[in-house]
Amino acid sequence: MDASSKGPLVYQPLDQELREIRILTILPGAYESPIECTLENAPFFDVEDYDALSYTWGDPQITTEIFVNGRSFQATLNLAAALVELRARHHFRLWIDAVCIDQNNRQEKGLQVLRMEAIYRKANRTIIWLGNQEDHSDLAFEALKALSQDPPDEQNPLIQDFRTAGSATRAAVKQLFRRPYWRRVWIIQEVSFSENVIIYCGKASRKWDTLEFAFKAIIALKDKDEDLERDFRFVEDYFLTLYRFRLAMTQDRPLDLLSALNRSGSTLATCQRDRVFALLGITVDGKSYISDPNYKQDDRSIFIDMAKSRLFHTRDLDIICLKPYSPSNTWHLPSWIPDWLNLGQIFPSRITDYLAGRGTENFVINAYGKSPLGHPATFNASANSTAPFRMEGSTLSVRGIFLDTVDGLTSALDPDSGYEPDSMYSNMSQPTSSSPSPYGSNEELFKSLFRTMAEFPDSMHGIPHDRYKTTFSNLMTPSTIKLLERWTRFNFKHLLAWLDRNKDFLIGDQPLEDYLTGSTRRLSSFIDRAHKKLFSLSHDTTYAFDYYPPEICTAAAVRVVVQFGIRIITTELGYVGRAHPAAQKGDILALIAGCSFPVILRRSETVDERFQVVGDAYVDGWMDGYKWNQVLTKLHDIVLE
């Protein structure tokens, strides 16, 4: 068909009052014949019997011609290949973003983005197109089928070959999961809302359930096989992200935008703003950040407006401390604006326990009008105070008080180095203050150090106070940690390296090493008992801490703190705490109205009486609001830039 002479496709405007979308219909044809389609507008509520395509565009500069409504349309090579295969399989009525949205109409793009959740939810099925058959993808699909059996047949030659390092089967499955599709941010909502998902790769196909069961089998197998664990570590970053989102949506669990940004930190998009826009449809509080996606705005303006909108909606200032361990500030944002696209660097408990928690219950209702979101705040440093603030240009004026100064800091692991034990984010800085401990006794100081290094309040561990010393000291000896490595999936080499580097750091008048020595004799019985209990359980993708003794929980919690680059600090007034890895000696520790935890501030280098936000801190003794109530009459304005 020679339709190119008629010129390119001309889109008919969508009627927004009727909530129109467009449906693409592929016309029947021979396998090698040109792709011909029709495109029609239709009110969304009247549209029936269509499939929605989930795929990667590919290089937009390399295209081939297809025909839509008798006119020329330049489709990327991956889209064209998908259309050929879908036509052969009689998938004729489709919704495809590249064709059904006028990509040159920025206003239309913004409006359609908000409807994509409903579009994929209503579709008969979501079709995942991984691309053409290559890298033995047909072998990978056969292996996935074998792995998906419950339980997998250990005598199956495909499974035996998959478990063999360097084998063709393992290489094929590995390459399948390394396809660019799995890192595309838009697939999260495209796959999460559809009950019926089918996966195509060339002429091979599998149902979503097959892939999901195979994935669980791979996770279970790699926990017993170091080579397999190394080969498929990336699978947890890519596929596990998608699996968890889909699980949350199918179980109707409300998800807030901060948690979604945290979970999707490793995803990619051609336009950086799409890493946020793509999550709006699956989060219950997206509109408190962005009411309407605007493709006419630049990224910097969008990210600033997100923070402003959130602050006005919630009067909650916790988000000013959403600082990743290695801020890039690509967009030259004020220090109080979160680095939205790097929230994956923040360990999830900080997001779900308190950074996402305050203020949400008053305005967030999920899509079905059920229970509000709202995570209870773990900490309450400002005693549930309201957050008076004023914005002027790029500055934010808040109310608070400077309480103390960072004195000593441990070194921290550098996550950018891949958590190599010999790579530290920063050097240890010994404290110089001689202030007496505000905790009153060595026993209380020890308890404070435990709570600080184990991340969680003691109530979350259920460990009686009189067992703090034996629990903590036994767990932190290198010999005990090596024992733990033999029976749990946690790798404690990073923790050992951190302890060795910081063993001389002074807490009060004693080095850290003195707090972390003890006998492992009593712990051995716990290890033996926990070992038997753990391996009596079936393998799963998660490990419930309910099945571990308190000692094991504490070791795992400390490892998390260390792994994410957190630094243990002492203050000029003798307090113990932990701080963002970018903290420095001399930084100010402040309590700010509307923040549920202390804030680390640094004086501006350019303007007097202005401050930059470094990150959040935990200071043991300040976290329950008692300190705030003592200084309530001394609050003053603090200007953040």
Side-chain angles (χ1 to χ4, degrees), residues 347-603:
F347 52 94
S349 64
R350 283 181 58 207
I351 299 288
T352 57
D353 284 344
Y354 55 102
L355 286 176
R358 291 165 45 90
T360 55
E361 64 274 6
N362 294 324
F363 72 97
V364 176
I365 303 293
N366 73 13
Y368 302 100
K370 296 183 181 177
S371 60
L373 182 60
H375 308 284
T378 301
F379 303 118
N380 190 22
S382 64
N384 285 325
S385 59
T386 57
F389 60 84
R390 184 176 67 257
M391 296 181 188
E392 294 181 8
S394 62
T395 66
L396 177 70
S397 296
V398 298
R399 295 284 289 174
I401 187 169
F402 304 146
L403 279 185
D404 209 339
T405 303
V406 176
D407 184 29
L409 307 96
T410 63
S411 59
L413 281 173
D414 179 5
D416 285 331
S417 70
Y419 305 115
E420 288 303 316
D422 60 352
S423 176
M424 294 288 167
Y425 182 88
S426 50
N427 294 322
M428 181 179 71
S429 177
Q430 285 284 16
T432 56
S433 171
S434 57
S435 297
S437 169
Y439 301 108
S441 68
N442 287 339
E443 181 66 20
E444 291 304 315
L445 177 59
F446 187 87
K447 292 176 182 179
S448 171
L449 180 62
F450 174 85
R451 288 189 295 267
T452 296
M453 292 186 66
E455 183 198 353
F456 305 112
D458 55 3
S459 62
M460 296 182 69
H461 289 282
I463 304 174
H465 282 209
D466 60 359
R467 289 182 57 194
Y468 271 125
K469 189 170 184 178
T470 53
T471 301
F472 195 39
S473 62
N474 280 342
L475 279 174
M476 301 308 294
T477 56
S479 59
T480 299
I481 294 173
K482 288 178 181 177
L483 286 174
L484 302 180
E485 286 182 318
R486 296 197 322 218
W487 65 274
T488 179
R489 71 180 297 188
F490 300 118
N491 186 339
F492 288 98
K493 66 178 181 180
H494 313 109
L495 183 57
L496 285 167
W498 184 90
L499 289 171
D500 184 64
R501 182 69 65 93
N502 294 288
K503 62 186 178 183
D504 296 324
F505 181 71
L506 293 175
I507 307 287
D509 58 358
Q510 298 181 66
L512 182 62
E513 185 177 30
D514 285 2
Y515 295 95
L516 310 177
T517 55
S519 171
T520 61
R521 191 183 312 118
R522 189 182 66 81
L523 183 62
S524 297
S525 62
F526 280 104
I527 292 175
D528 292 341
R529 187 172 74 244
H531 182 282
K532 294 175 183 177
K533 196 164 194 176
L534 176 68
F535 281 96
S536 68
L537 304 173
S538 59
H539 282 282
D540 199 353
T541 56
T542 58
Y543 286 74
F545 275 26
D546 293 343
Y547 296 105
Y548 292 74
E551 289 81 355
I552 310 306
C553 296
T554 304
V558 173
R559 177 187 177 275
V560 169
V561 171
V562 170
Q563 179 177 325
F564 279 86
I566 305 303
R567 307 177 75 178
I568 305 303
I569 62 169
T570 59
T571 76
E572 287 191 354
L573 297 180
Y575 286 95
V576 175
R578 60 179 182 266
H580 188 279
Q584 297 176 4
K585 190 181 184 73
D587 283 343
I588 297 167
L589 291 163
L591 291 180
I592 293 176
C595 281
S596 56
F597 44 89
V599 181
I600 307 168
L601 301 177
R602 188 171 298 157
R603 294 187 183 278

Side-chain angles (χ1 to χ4, degrees), residues 201-214:
C201 185
K203 297 186 183 304
S205 65
R206 287 287 179 265
K207 291 184 177 181
W208 173 266
D209 288 350
T210 300
L211 196 65
E212 189 174 296
F213 290 134

